[in-house]
Amino acid sequence: MSELKVTLVKSGIGQTEKMKGRLLGMGLTKREKTVVLQDTPEIRGMIAKVAHLVRVEE
């Protein structure tokens, strides 16, 4: 499987609890933090819901 580099570019402050939960689920806790995640349908779905807050590199 390939990997995705996901970076939080906007804060989760002011977002709904579901969006904050998705960010926490991916390990994104602070702005400009980057995590490497496996490219799975579940992770892709989480990214799609918070696409306006993150930057994704393949």
Side-chain angles (χ1 to χ4, degrees):
M1 278 201 178
S2 62
E3 296 181 334
L4 300 171
K5 275 179 72 173
V6 183
T7 304
L8 185 62
V9 293
K10 286 185 74 178
S11 173
I13 295 174
Q15 303 301 321
T16 63
E17 290 300 318
K18 285 185 176 184
M19 285 192 191
K20 289 179 186 180
R22 288 181 185 107
L23 293 173
L24 277 176
M26 289 189 286
L28 297 170
T29 55
K30 296 182 179 182
R31 261 187 80 234
E32 300 304 324
K33 182 174 182 178
T34 301
V35 293
V36 177
L37 302 169
Q38 294 296 320
D39 188 7
T40 63
E42 293 82 7
I43 296 297
R44 287 282 183 169
M46 293 168 91
I47 291 171
K49 293 289 186 176
V50 294
H52 60 288
L53 302 175
V54 298
R55 178 176 52 238
V56 180
E57 299 171 28
E58 300 198 28

